[in-house]
Amino acid sequence: MINVYDCRFENQQVFKKTLKTNGLDLDGFLRLVNKEFAVPSDQRFVLVTTDRTVVNDGKYKELQDGSTLYLLQNKDQVLPVATEENINFVPHYNTLIESGTFEYFAEGQKSLPCALAELVDNALWATAKNTGVRTIEIQLLFDRTFGKPTVVVLDNGCGMTSKQLNNWAVYRLSKFMRENSTFESERDAYVHPEPVPRSLNSDISYFGVGGKQAAFHIGDSVRMITKPINSPDVHELVLSKEEFQKKEQNKEDVFKGTILNRKPGDYSHVTSSERFLQEVIKEETGKDSFTAVVITGVCPEHIKYLKQDFSEWTRQLAHIYHYYIHGTNGNHKTDNSLRSNVIPQIDILVTLRDKPSYSMNLRKVEDDMQTLYINSAVDTFEFKVKTSEGGTVDGVLRYHPFLYDKETYPKDLNVLQAPVEEDDDENESGTMNQARGKRDIFECFWNGRLIPYTTVSE
C-alpha cells in the first residue's frame, strides 16, 4: 500500500489515494497512477518521495508498505498545500539487547550476579502462590557433551499462557499497564500485596524490563519455555539477536515472532546439535506448571567468570535474597532463639554441569555479607517509617564496635574501599584498614530483596 498525493497544480485541491502495488513493477505502478489520477497521455509527471528522491527502479524496490509519494510536474515543484506522512518509530532492537550493558554496570563490580538476580526475581513472583516448596534453579550447562554453553533458570511456578508469554515479550509492558493495554493479551489488573514482615511478598518483577535485559546481557538468544497450571500445553518463544538482524536486513518487522504450542516433552523441533535443549524438554513430562529461561550465545568472558568465581557470585546472590532464604530474622548461626520462627520454603539452587559438576543450595552459604553483618553485630535497633504516600520503610541499625584495635565490622572483599584521608579526624591508630572505610552506612532492600549498589548516605 503506497500513499500518493497529487500535488501537480497550484490552485487545485490536493487529492490523496492509497494504491495497492499487488506485486507490480515500476512500469505497472506508473500506469496505475496514470489511471487513478486521470493523467493525460501527453502530460509529463514525476513521482518523488517526501525527501524529493525521484522514484526509479531501485528506489521503487526500497519502498515500504505505507510509504508516501508526491505526484508532481517536476521534482523541485513547491507543494501547493501541506501534506501528511505516516511514519513508524519502533525502537531499534539494540534497545532491547544492549540495555543490560548499562543497567548492570557499576564501577569495580561484576554485572552477572545482578543479571541473574533479575531472572530469579521473575521466578520468585511466579512461585509466590505455590503451596509446597518453591524451587528455583540456575543451571550452567558448560559440559561440551550438551552442545553449546547454556544458562537455564528454571522454576516450578504458575507458568504463563501464550497470551501472557506475548506480554512478557513486550519491552516495558509493566503489570501496571496491562489492565488497559491494547495488546491482544489477557488484561490482568495489578493488585498490591498485603503488608508482610520485611516486605517478603515476592512482588519484585513487574516493570516489563529486567528479564529481557538480563537474558541479553548474559547471551545473545533467549528461549522462553513455559507451561501454565491446569493446561496440557507448553508454550515456547525464541528471541535472538541473529533473528533480529536477519529481519532488519530483509526489511521485515523485527518485533514480530511466533509462539510454538506443543505437548510436554516434545522436542521434535530441536536439532541434534542442541542436546542441552533436548535434556531440558525431556524433564517437562509430569510437571503441573513451570517456566524455563534458556539462554545461549553466552560470551566466553561470562563462562570463565561463572566457572572460576562460582563462590563469589553465589555468595552475592545469597546476600541479595538473604531474607527470602532465611526468613525475616535472617541467618543467625549461633543463637537459635534469634532465628526466624518460619523458614521460607524457597530453595534457590545453583548447578554447574561441567567437569567436575557440582550443585549447591544458597541456604548453605555461610559467608554472604548479610550473614556476616547479623552474626558480628553486638546489638541491633529496629525502626519503622511511614511515607506520605502510604509506603513503609523498615530499618535495622547494627552496632559493630571497634575493640582492642580491631574492627568488628565485616569486610566485603568484593567492594572497593576508599582510602582514609590523612587529615581525617577519624583517622586514629588502626583505622587505615577499617572495614567500612568511607562506604555508606545503609544498604537498601526493596520488597525483601537487596538492590545492589543502592544505598542511603550518612
Side-chain angles (χ1 to χ4, degrees), residues 1 30 68-69 99 148-149 164 239 251 281 327 340 345 383 403 433:
M1 305 289 283
L30 291 176
T68 297
L69 301 178
S99 56
K148 62 182 73 174
Q164 290 168 333
L239 303 178
K251 301 187 182 304
I281 294 176
S340 304
Q345 295 189 77
F383 61 91
L403 297 174
N433 294 318

Side-chain angles (χ1 to χ4, degrees), residues 323 332 368-381 396-404 406-411 434-437 439-443:
Y323 293 103
H332 286 274
D368 67 279
M369 289 309 301
Q370 200 64 23
T371 295
L372 298 181
Y373 293 150
I374 291 172
N375 290 278
S376 62
V378 172
D379 202 357
T380 61
F381 172 75
V396 179
L397 291 173
R398 294 191 176 94
Y399 177 43
H400 302 268
F402 188 82
L403 297 174
Y404 311 111
K406 183 178 180 181
E407 180 67 75
T408 62
Y409 187 87
K411 286 186 178 181
Q434 60 184 341
R436 189 169 66 83
R439 287 188 287 134
D440 295 326
I441 62 174
F442 284 104
E443 59 183 10

Side-chain angles (χ1 to χ4, degrees), residues 146-330:
F146 289 106
K148 62 182 73 174
T150 305
V151 174
V152 180
V153 179
L154 179 67
D155 70 66
N156 65 340
C158 59
M160 290 180 279
T161 65
S162 61
K163 303 303 183 184
Q164 290 168 333
L165 183 55
N166 185 179
N167 274 341
W168 176 90
V170 179
Y171 191 60
R172 288 196 176 278
L173 180 61
S174 73
K175 293 179 185 177
F176 307 113
M177 299 166 58
R178 290 175 191 174
E179 181 181 10
N180 299 314
S181 172
T182 58
F183 289 95
E184 295 181 4
S185 54
E186 296 172 356
R187 296 177 174 87
D188 298 323
Y190 173 72
V191 179
H192 198 282
E194 294 295 324
V196 292
R198 292 279 188 269
S199 296
L200 297 174
N201 50 37
S202 301
D203 192 36
I204 303 174
S205 174
Y206 52 65
F207 292 115
V209 176
K212 293 173 284 294
Q213 281 186 167
F216 281 109
H217 182 67
I218 296 169
D220 58 23
S221 176
V222 55
R223 182 185 298 261
M224 296 294 295
I225 307 175
T226 185
K227 179 181 180 294
I229 196 165
N230 297 326
S231 171
D233 302 324
V234 172
H235 311 295
E236 194 170 322
L237 171 67
V238 179
L239 303 178
S240 75
K241 181 178 180 180
E242 182 181 7
E243 283 300 312
F244 290 153
Q245 291 172 335
K246 285 181 180 179
K247 289 178 180 178
E248 184 181 53
Q249 292 170 359
N250 295 333
K251 301 187 182 304
E252 299 174 10
D253 190 340
V254 172
F255 293 101
K256 280 189 176 180
T258 302
I259 291 177
L260 177 69
N261 303 312
R262 57 174 176 78
K263 65 181 180 181
D266 179 6
Y267 58 86
S268 58
H269 59 294
V270 178
T271 64
S272 58
S273 63
E274 298 174 306
R275 292 184 296 279
F276 65 93
L277 190 54
Q278 294 179 11
E279 295 301 317
V280 171
I281 294 176
K282 286 178 182 178
E283 296 176 359
E284 297 172 355
T285 305
K287 293 182 177 179
D288 291 333
S289 60
F290 66 87
T291 296
V293 184
V294 183
I295 303 169
T296 54
V298 185
C299 71
E301 292 80 7
H302 287 346
I303 295 173
K304 180 180 178 181
Y305 172 74
L306 291 171
K307 291 170 65 174
Q308 295 185 356
D309 297 291
F310 186 87
S311 296
E312 175 187 319
W313 64 264
T314 52
R315 180 172 173 264
Q316 291 185 46
L317 284 180
H319 184 190
I320 292 172
Y321 297 105
H322 182 91
Y323 293 103
Y324 278 102
I325 296 170
H326 298 287
T328 56
N329 292 345

